[in-house]
Amino acid sequence: MLTDTIFARASGAGQAAVAVLRLSGPGTAAAVARLGGTLPAARRASLRRLHDPDTAEVLDQALVLWFPGPGSYTGEDAAELHLHGGNAVVTAVSDALSRLGCRPAEPGEFTRRAFLHGRMDLTQAEAIADLIAAETTAQRRQALRQADGALARLYGGWTERLTRILAQQEAAIEFEMDDLPTDVADRAREAAAALAREISAHLDDGRRGERLREGLSIAILGAPNAGKSSLLNALAGRDAAIVSPIAGTTRDIVECRMVLGGVPAVIADTAGLRASTDAIEQEGVRRALRRAEEADILITAFAADTTPDAETLAQFRQAPGAIIVATKCDLAAPPALDAPGRVIPTSARTGEGLDALRQALTREAARHAGLGDAPALTRSRHRSALAEAVEQLGLARAAPLPELAAEGYRAALLALGRVTGRVDVERILDSIFRDFCIGK
Ligand SMILES: Nc1nc2c(ncn2[C@@H]2O[C@H](COP(=O)(O)OP(=O)(O)OP(=O)(O)O)[C@@H](O)[C@H]2O)c(=O)[nH]1
Ligand SMILES: [Mg+2]
């Protein structure tokens, strides 16, 4: 029995020229040797006939790669079998591996093992999942940067500093017991304040990393018949929403996915805003307003051949960050508006102004996703743990007793450790004993 050795099809499912079966675990070398006769040289692709271990029947001619641990992806012995992609081949080899005592891997189990063997921290493991799910260029770049350890290094650095702060605080307690004067606790408090400021600045980033991961939300808002649905269709390049001369056509929210300069976005067409006695239309307006509130980017639309009503004008003023779009400019030149911001003249009929609108949206999207800046926090899981660390640092600094301050620093350290998955008490002790040789 090859205990604890897992395998999985690592290439996409379905028929393809090549299917990759991946193995990891202590029994990998034995399993590969049983199938392929001999183990190839490490990290060199070698051609092997794979045999059924019971009947000796040839199952496939495969490229075999052998990655001895600990220098492999998972940190343990691992291998890849590049098979011909037919389902019958993959099934036969998988079946042979099962008979040899390997078992099919659980989802994410290879990366889980990589984490457990210290090959990566949790933020890097999450980035691998993001990289596989990435649909746009900017998402890929963000995931790759995180997988490369950008967040791991940032959070690792903070952990290091906090470890020292805690060590200083522990030393201050020692000194106090010996009745020696000390400013060590003050130094710890100052360092904690600086650290809390840095973590807070990282948290206060407008959720740009999470937005890029999850996609931006854009909403089109305006009066009935303003041409909102036509605008959505023109931007999306397809007939997504119903267009009609009847005011109050759109009731439900109609969504289209777009990519703006590598940033994924969902653009939503909404019901025209007006006071209505129709219960369904009222619900539509309620949904429109809620979506507008949640949106990262708001487009407020008005028809160029009408003077915007008071409600629309009020909206322009309430949402100063919104992109104001004049529609139907093939019918009339847009009137001058008493509103903040520039008006983009468009026509869904002639296509006028659509490029300018796309450019404005792309600029806004890049701003929201903070492309090219410092590494961004990408998950709410990180956000809540980091917020907890800042709170604990605050409590520690205000603590009336040195022991309570130490307790707060320890809690902050645990919160940071939850983000990276590394909480190392030994390291705290090392740091204490290395830095504070106090003659004891
Ligand atoms: N000439 C011209 N007509 C347009 C343009 N865009 C929309 N329309 C017309 O304006 C009318 C209303 O368009 P819609 O896109 O349905 O307007 P809406 O804002 O979605 O309306 P509601 O869903 O009722 O709120 C339709 O008859 C469209 O054909 C345009 O750029 N030029
Ligand atoms: Mg509509």
Side-chain angles (χ1 to χ4, degrees):
M1 207 48 189
L2 304 176
T3 46
D4 210 25
T5 298
I6 51 173
F7 70 93
R9 182 177 182 153
S11 53
Q15 216 84 352
V18 178
V20 179
L21 277 188
R22 215 175 205 192
L23 286 91
S24 180
T28 301
V32 171
R34 283 291 296 281
L35 287 182
T38 55
L39 202 61
R43 286 179 289 280
R44 289 273 178 83
S46 311
L47 199 57
R48 288 282 188 283
R49 263 181 226 281
L50 303 185
H51 297 269
D52 185 296
D54 297 319
T55 66
E57 182 193 356
V58 176
L59 301 175
D60 193 17
Q61 178 131 308
L63 268 186
V64 179
L65 284 146
W66 154 241
F67 306 100
S72 67
Y73 177 77
T74 53
E76 51 187 22
D77 285 353
E80 279 179 15
L81 309 175
H82 294 231
L83 310 172
H84 290 95
N87 284 335
V89 176
V90 177
T91 307
V93 177
S94 301
D95 179 58
L97 286 170
S98 294
R99 273 183 282 129
L100 286 170
C102 305
R103 69 168 171 83
E106 306 287 338
E109 198 172 357
F110 286 87
T111 306
R112 186 189 190 105
R113 288 186 175 204
F115 167 70
L116 290 175
H117 288 104
R119 299 290 287 169
M120 56 179 73
D121 82 340
L122 278 186
T123 65
Q124 288 170 295
E126 287 168 333
I128 300 290
D130 288 349
L131 197 52
I132 292 166
E135 285 183 354
T136 74
T137 321
Q139 283 182 319
R140 173 178 59 76
R141 289 197 184 118
Q142 171 163 287
L144 209 52
R145 181 145 78 154
Q146 187 174 327
D148 196 36
L151 284 183
R153 280 189 293 277
L154 182 66
Y155 300 160
W158 287 343
T159 305
E160 198 98 348
R161 278 162 61 188
L162 194 46
T163 305
R164 283 176 173 281
I165 291 169
L166 176 59
Q168 283 176 329
Q169 187 63 34
E170 301 274 13
I173 294 170
E174 295 273 323
F175 278 123
E176 200 168 68
M177 285 195 307
D178 294 348
D179 284 335
L180 294 169
T182 171
D183 64 345
V184 182
D186 294 338
R187 288 214 301 271
R189 200 174 300 117
E190 275 162 33
L195 183 58
R197 273 197 302 277
E198 261 177 62
I199 301 178
S200 297
H202 179 69
L203 280 169
D204 187 22
D205 68 348
R207 296 184 56 245
R208 61 191 171 90
E210 289 143 290
R211 278 178 160 136
L212 177 52
R213 223 186 123 245
E214 293 156 12
L216 291 179
S217 160
I218 304 174
I220 309 176
L221 212 62
N225 255 349
K228 301 179 295 299
S229 300
S230 307
L231 191 64
L232 174 85
N233 292 349
L235 282 173
R238 67 188 176 89
D239 236 354
I242 301 175
V243 167
S244 93
I246 304 165
T249 300
T250 307
R251 305 294 180 85
D252 276 332
I253 287 173
V254 181
E255 295 184 329
C256 285
R257 290 160 63 86
M258 290 181 77
V259 178
L260 299 164
V263 179
V266 171
I267 180 160
D269 174 31
T270 64
L273 303 180
R274 68 171 169 186
S276 165
T277 50
D278 181 326
I280 300 172
E281 193 172 353
Q282 282 173 358
E283 175 59 20
V285 168
R286 218 171 52 75
R287 289 179 186 211
L289 291 172
R290 195 171 59 214
R291 177 57 70 102
E293 228 163 71
E294 292 165 359
D296 300 307
I297 303 170
L298 195 60
I299 299 174
T300 45
F302 74 99
D305 62 342
T306 59
T307 310
D309 55 23
E311 198 173 328
T312 307
L313 283 173
Q315 234 172 55
F316 293 161
R317 273 188 284 275
Q318 272 163 21
I323 297 174
I324 302 178
V325 171
T327 59
K328 310 191 196 182
C329 290
D330 55 299
L331 296 181
L337 280 190
D338 174 26
R342 189 169 68 93
V343 174
I344 301 177
T346 68
S347 163
R349 186 148 300 169
T350 65
E352 176 196 344
L354 292 178
D355 279 343
L357 176 55
R358 261 190 220 102
Q359 278 167 20
L361 287 173
T362 304
R363 262 197 310 279
E364 279 296 293
R367 194 172 65 77
H368 280 282
L371 298 181
D373 291 352
L377 197 157
T378 50
R379 297 192 181 223
S380 56
R381 190 184 77 76
H382 307 170
R383 181 169 293 285
S384 55
L386 292 176
E388 157 92 13
V390 171
E391 190 189 332
Q392 290 296 344
L393 284 174
L395 290 176
R397 272 156 43 220
L401 289 173
E403 286 79 5
L404 289 180
E407 205 45 52
Y409 294 141
R410 208 170 285 120
L413 198 53
L414 280 177
L416 273 186
R418 278 212 307 282
V419 184
T420 57
R422 301 248 160 88
V423 186
D424 195 346
V425 181
E426 278 306 309
R427 265 212 345 220
I428 303 175
L429 295 178
D430 278 354
S431 174
I432 292 174
F433 294 121
R434 186 182 61 229
D435 292 353
F436 295 93
C437 175
I438 49 180
K440 288 208 157 191

